[in-house]
Amino acid sequence: MSDAVLQIEGLEIQFPGFAGAVHAVSGVDIEVGAGEIVGIVGESGSAKSVTAMSALRLLPKGAFDMPSGKITLLGKDLATITETEMNEMRGRDVAMIFQEPQTALNPTKKIGKQMIKVIELHTELKGKAAKDHALSLLRDMRINDAEEILDRYPFELSGGMRQRILIGMAFACSPRLLVADEPTTALDVTVQRQVLQLLHHKARQTGASVLFISHDLAVVNQFCDRVYVMYAGRVIESGKTADALGSPAHPYTQALIEALPEHAKKGEALSSIDGTVPNLVKPPTGCAFEARCTKSIEKCIQRPALKPIAADKRQVACWLKEAQNV
Amino acid sequence: MSNHVMQLNDVHVRFPIGANWLGRPKGFVHALNGVDLTVRRGKTLGIVGESGCGKSTLAQVLMGILNPTEGRFSSTADKEAGVQIVFQDPQSSLNARMPIWRVITEPVFARKRTSVAELRNIAVELARQVGLREEVLDRHPHEFSGGQRQRIAIARALSSDPDIIVLDEPTSALDISIQAQILNLLTELQQARGITYIFISHDISVVRYLCDEVAVMYLGQVVEKGPVEDVLGAPQHPYTSLLLESVPTMGVAGDFGQPLTNTDLPSNRNLPPHCYFLDRCTFAGSECRQAQSLSPVGGEKDHVARCVRATSGDLNMREGKENGAC
C-alpha cells in the first residue's frame, strides 16, 4: 500500500438539502498507484467529480457531510492536515485540470504572469529562471510561439490552446498526482487527440500518476491503465481497462457499452437502458442498478460488495458474479 | 428535383466585423465559403466538422433565419412551418416559464388561431409519440431530466408537422444510455412520418449510425460528401481521415506516439488562396497551392472530395503517412 499516491477508503459524502440529504457518494474505495493512469467513468450524477474533488479537499466547507471515509494523499491523512498544509500540497504535489479551460484561467491576467506566479510560489525558481521554465513547459505542450503566448490574455487563445497551457501549468512543479476532470470534453476530436497525447506523454515522462475522470467510455478505454466504473455514487466495477471495458462483468457496464452507436447497424434499434438513475435522497438499500437491470435476481435487494473476481485488482459489485464464482 | 427538398448552390455567408469612421465594415468573417448541398426527401443528411467550420451558420441558412450573402438556397418546404430545429441544450432552448404543453404547441399557437382545447389535444398526441406521459404536460421544463427535455424539444419540432427537422447536436449533452433512447426515437419518427433530417454533429459514430449521407465541413466548405458508408468507410480527403483517426474507439489501443503538432484552423478573416487544409496536411504538394474544387472520387458520382490528390486517382496517399503525425 505504501506506493499508492492516493487512497480513498469507504468514502461517504452527503449534501444536505431541504428534501433530505443527497447521498452523493456511498462507500467508495479508490486507489491510485505511483505512475498509474486511473480512470473514473460514469454517467452524470454518478459522483465521479465529487469523489475526485474530495481527494483534493476541494469541496466547499459546510456544504457537505462526510460521515465516514478515509482519504490518504501521498501518505498523509487528509483529515489530520491543516488548510495551510493542504494549500501547499495543491499545485506542488497534486494538480488539477478542469473541463472548462476558459474558467480555470484568470481572464484579467496575461498567461505569462499566471504561469510565472505558480512557478514562483511553489518552486525555488524566481524571475528569469521562472520565465524560462514557463517557456519550456509551453514548448513541451507543442506551443510553437511560446514567447508570444506568454504575453497574451486567455480570451485570445483557442480552447485547445488554453487546455494545453493548463496542462503545462499543472506540470510546472512536477506533481506526483494530477487530477483531470473531463479535460477534453469541451474540445474537438482532433484537438482532444492532441491534448490526450500530450498529457499521456508528459505523465509518463515525469512519472506522475493521473486520476482521469470522464463520461466518455472510448476515451477512458484508450487513455487509462485501470478504470473504476461508477453508478449512483458507488463503484460497481473496476480493473485493468482492457478487462473492465473489454469484457465487462457488471450488467450496467455491459448495457452502457451495448448502447454505444458503433455497436448497432444502421436501421437497427440501439439497445438502451430503460428507466433513470435512482433518487439519491432515498438511495436504494440494495444494488443501485437493480431497478434498471434486466438480469436482477431476488438477492439484488441487498447491496452487493465490491469483490475481486480475478487478478490485477479486477473487482465487481454484483450478486450474479458472486453466484457464479461460488 | 422532386425528391430534393433543399438545394444549396455555392452558398457564401460572411459577417461584417468592426466599422471605420464611415460605418463601413473593416473586414469580414467568412463563415461559409461556397457550400453545395442537396437534401433528399425522407433521408438523413449528416453534417460533420469541428468548431468554427460553419456547421451552425449552415443550420441557420437551412432554417431560413439567415440569407446567404452569395449563392442560391432553394427549399420546397414551407418557410415557417416546414422546417423545425432541435437544439443541443434542451435546458436553454425550452421556455422555463411555460408548462410543457404550451412549449410543445408553441409553433402551432404562433402560426394560427387555435383553441386551448385543441392545442392541448395536439400536445397529448405528440407527448405520446415521443414517449412522455400525459400527466406530465402541466409541469415546467425544470422538472424534467435532460433526456426528457430533449423529448419535449422533439415534440415541439413535430408540432407544426414539418417536412424537415434540423438536429443541431441533439444528443451531445446527454448520457450514453439516454442518447440511445433519443436516437431510437428519432429513427422511429422518421419511419412513421417520412421526415427529412439534417443531423449536425461532431460525433462520428452517431452519424455513421443515423445518417444516409454525410458532408464533412472544414472552414466553411464541404471538403467531402457522399453516402455514409463511402465517406466514413473509405475517406478520400486527408481531413476526413484525420477526423476519423482522432475519434477514440472502444477496443482499440490509444495512439500515444508523436503528438499532433498543428490543430488550429486557419483564420476565417483572410481566407487562404490555396487549399484550406494545406497547413495541416501531410500529403501537400505543389498542386495544393491552388484552390481546390469538389470533384467525384473514382467513378462514383455521389462521392465527392475537395482534394486534387484524391480525385486524380492518387489514392495511395495513406502510404506516405508517418506514424499518425498529421
Side-chain angles (χ1 to χ4, degrees):
Chain A
M1 284 303 107
S2 56
D3 73 330
V5 176
L6 170 72
Q7 196 161 16
I8 300 176
E9 292 162 276
L11 181 71
E12 286 199 23
I13 291 179
Q14 301 174 358
F15 294 103
F18 291 115
V22 177
H23 296 66
V25 182
S26 36
V28 163
D29 301 287
I30 282 173
E31 190 187 302
V32 182
E36 211 181 7
I37 298 182
V38 174
I40 302 184
V41 67
E43 297 185 287
S44 37
S46 60
K48 47 192 192 306
S49 290
V50 173
T51 309
M53 301 272 272
S54 67
L56 292 185
R57 229 165 76 181
L58 282 172
L59 294 172
K61 269 214 183 74
F64 71 99
D65 296 324
M66 193 172 127
S68 70
K70 186 181 171 202
I71 302 168
T72 318
L73 184 61
L74 305 173
K76 288 185 188 132
D77 186 351
L78 284 200
T80 61
I81 66 170
T82 63
E83 192 57 35
T84 323
E85 285 174 295
M86 189 70 227
N87 260 338
E88 272 174 18
M89 280 175 90
R90 285 187 207 125
R92 191 189 59 202
D93 301 324
V94 288
M96 185 149 185
I97 306 169
F98 296 94
Q99 172 173 358
E100 192 37 79
Q102 173 73 70
T103 51
L105 286 164
N106 185 338
T108 66
K109 290 202 167 70
K110 288 178 177 167
I111 299 292
K113 212 170 172 184
Q114 300 188 42
M115 288 192 78
I116 290 166
K117 192 176 173 189
V118 173
I119 296 167
E120 290 188 338
L121 198 64
H122 291 292
T123 65
E124 301 294 303
L125 302 170
K126 301 282 178 271
K128 177 82 171 56
K131 191 183 173 188
D132 287 344
H133 188 45
L135 284 173
S136 76
L137 288 169
L138 290 185
R139 290 203 190 96
D140 279 355
M141 286 295 125
R142 294 288 191 285
I143 291 170
N144 297 328
D145 34 8
E147 191 91 30
E148 198 197 317
I149 297 292
L150 286 185
D151 213 29
R152 300 264 199 102
Y153 287 97
F155 72 87
E156 297 177 86
L157 308 170
S158 66
M161 183 81 93
R162 284 195 289 252
Q163 198 62 291
R164 278 185 280 159
I165 289 169
L166 281 167
I167 295 174
M169 263 165 106
F171 280 104
C173 318
S174 319
R176 291 178 58 199
L177 173 68
L178 185 74
V179 178
D181 190 354
E182 305 256 9
T184 58
T185 306
L187 307 176
D188 283 321
V189 278
T190 55
V191 184
Q192 162 170 292
R193 175 169 164 210
Q194 183 194 31
V195 166
L196 290 177
Q197 283 170 333
L198 289 169
L199 187 57
H200 198 270
H201 198 66
K202 194 81 186 165
R204 290 289 192 238
Q205 190 189 2
T206 61
S209 311
V210 180
L211 182 61
F212 186 87
I213 297 152
S214 182
H215 71 283
D216 193 328
L217 287 166
V219 169
V220 169
N221 174 59
Q222 296 200 331
F223 189 72
C224 300
D225 304 327
R226 208 153 56 77
V227 65
Y228 290 92
V229 184
M230 287 190 71
Y231 183 74
R234 303 159 188 200
V235 173
I236 52 127
E237 181 158 14
S238 77
K240 287 245 184 306
T241 313
D243 302 335
L245 299 182
S247 49
H250 197 282
Y252 172 68
T253 323
Q254 289 167 355
L256 206 57
I257 291 171
E258 277 291 296
L260 291 171
E262 55 236 50
H263 289 289
K265 287 213 180 71
K266 220 185 121 35
E268 277 174 21
L270 282 172
S271 73
S272 61
I273 308 176
D274 289 337
T276 49
V277 283
N279 180 357
L280 294 179
V281 174
K282 291 190 207 84
T285 49
C287 171
F289 190 59
E290 190 257 335
R292 300 172 78 184
C293 187
T294 48
K295 298 169 185 163
S296 67
I297 52 173
E298 221 168 90
K299 208 170 181 188
C300 296
I301 51 169
Q302 294 167 37
R303 181 171 169 180
L306 197 61
K307 294 225 169 117
I309 53 165
D312 290 333
K313 294 175 184 166
R314 182 94 175 88
Q315 293 174 306
V316 68
C318 182
W319 289 118
L320 285 172
K321 273 286 147 191
E322 207 141 296
Q324 283 170 22
N325 276 6
V326 171
Chain B
M1 192 63 205
S2 61
N3 70 340
H4 295 179
V5 275
M6 275 182 176
Q7 184 101 37
L8 282 85
N9 293 96
D10 197 28
V11 166
H12 290 254
V13 172
R14 52 175 181 263
F15 301 103
I17 38 169
N20 63 14
W21 62 279
L22 283 169
R24 290 181 186 135
K26 279 185 193 158
F28 288 96
V29 169
H30 299 268
L32 294 183
N33 309 308
V35 173
D36 296 288
L37 270 184
T38 307
V39 184
R40 291 184 226 287
R41 187 184 302 281
K43 299 280 182 196
T44 306
L45 170 68
I47 294 171
V48 199
E50 298 184 280
S51 32
C53 74
K55 286 179 302 203
S56 298
T57 308
L58 181 63
Q60 291 188 19
V61 171
L62 296 171
M63 288 292 298
I65 304 172
L66 204 63
N67 283 321
T69 324
E70 256 175 66
R72 220 166 66 85
F73 166 61
S74 59
S75 166
T76 58
D78 178 55
K79 208 170 179 190
E80 279 174 2
V83 195
Q84 290 290 330
I85 188 162
V86 174
F87 294 98
Q88 172 174 3
D89 181 10
Q91 169 80 63
S92 57
S93 63
L94 302 176
N95 190 335
R97 293 174 174 232
M98 285 184 182
I100 64 153
W101 71 268
R102 286 283 313 273
V103 172
I104 292 174
T105 53
E106 192 70 0
V108 184
F109 179 79
R111 277 171 42 76
K112 66 172 191 253
R113 280 182 70 145
T114 321
S115 71
V116 169
E118 207 171 315
L119 288 177
R120 185 94 203 177
N121 284 339
I122 296 173
V124 170
E125 173 56 23
L126 287 167
R128 193 187 54 74
Q129 288 186 19
V130 299
L132 291 166
R133 291 196 315 275
E134 196 185 329
E135 308 91 87
V136 303
L137 283 175
D138 288 308
R139 296 197 191 154
H140 287 75
H142 74 266
E143 295 172 82
F144 294 88
S145 66
Q148 284 175 314
R149 282 197 206 119
Q150 208 55 294
R151 287 174 192 269
I152 297 168
I154 293 168
R156 174 177 63 183
L158 291 174
S159 70
S160 66
D161 202 14
D163 301 323
I164 302 164
I165 298 184
V166 178
L167 302 157
D168 191 355
E169 306 253 10
T171 60
S172 57
L174 305 177
D175 280 325
I176 301 159
S177 61
I178 309 297
Q179 164 175 294
Q181 295 173 5
I182 297 293
L183 292 178
N184 284 341
L185 172 67
L186 289 171
T187 317
E188 280 164 29
L189 290 170
Q190 184 169 45
Q191 280 160 4
R193 291 175 167 241
I195 312 172
T196 308
Y197 288 144
I198 297 164
F199 189 83
I200 300 172
S201 181
H202 66 272
D203 191 333
I204 304 284
S205 61
V206 177
V207 168
R208 183 178 282 138
Y209 170 70
L210 197 72
C211 301
D212 301 296
E213 278 185 302
V214 62
V216 182
M217 288 186 70
Y218 187 76
L219 201 70
Q221 284 188 334
V222 174
V223 293
E224 183 161 4
K225 71 175 174 188
V228 163
E229 313 83 64
D230 295 351
V231 175
L232 301 183
Q236 297 302 325
H237 195 280
Y239 177 65
T240 318
S241 341
L242 172 66
L243 205 60
L244 287 169
E245 273 168 33
S246 301
V247 176
T249 15
M250 298 295 293
V252 179
D255 160 33
F256 295 111
Q258 269 313 301
L260 299 175
T261 46
N262 187 2
T263 54
D264 288 339
L265 258 70
S267 162
N268 56 8
R269 307 283 154 88
N270 303 302
L271 294 172
H274 44 73
C275 168
Y276 291 173
F277 193 60
L278 179 71
D279 299 337
R280 293 173 67 182
C281 189
T282 30
F283 319 107
S286 56
E287 66 274 29
C288 304
R289 291 251 142 234
Q290 54 208 339
Q292 307 284 314
S293 60
L294 271 179
S295 330
V297 173
E300 296 171 68
K301 220 172 124 218
D302 288 347
H303 188 175
V304 290
R306 198 182 285 276
C307 177
V308 66
R309 307 196 51 165
T311 50
S312 65
D314 184 7
L315 300 179
N316 299 326
M317 54 181 188
R318 223 157 306 215
E319 283 171 15
K321 187 164 287 186
E322 291 156 39
N323 203 11
C326 275

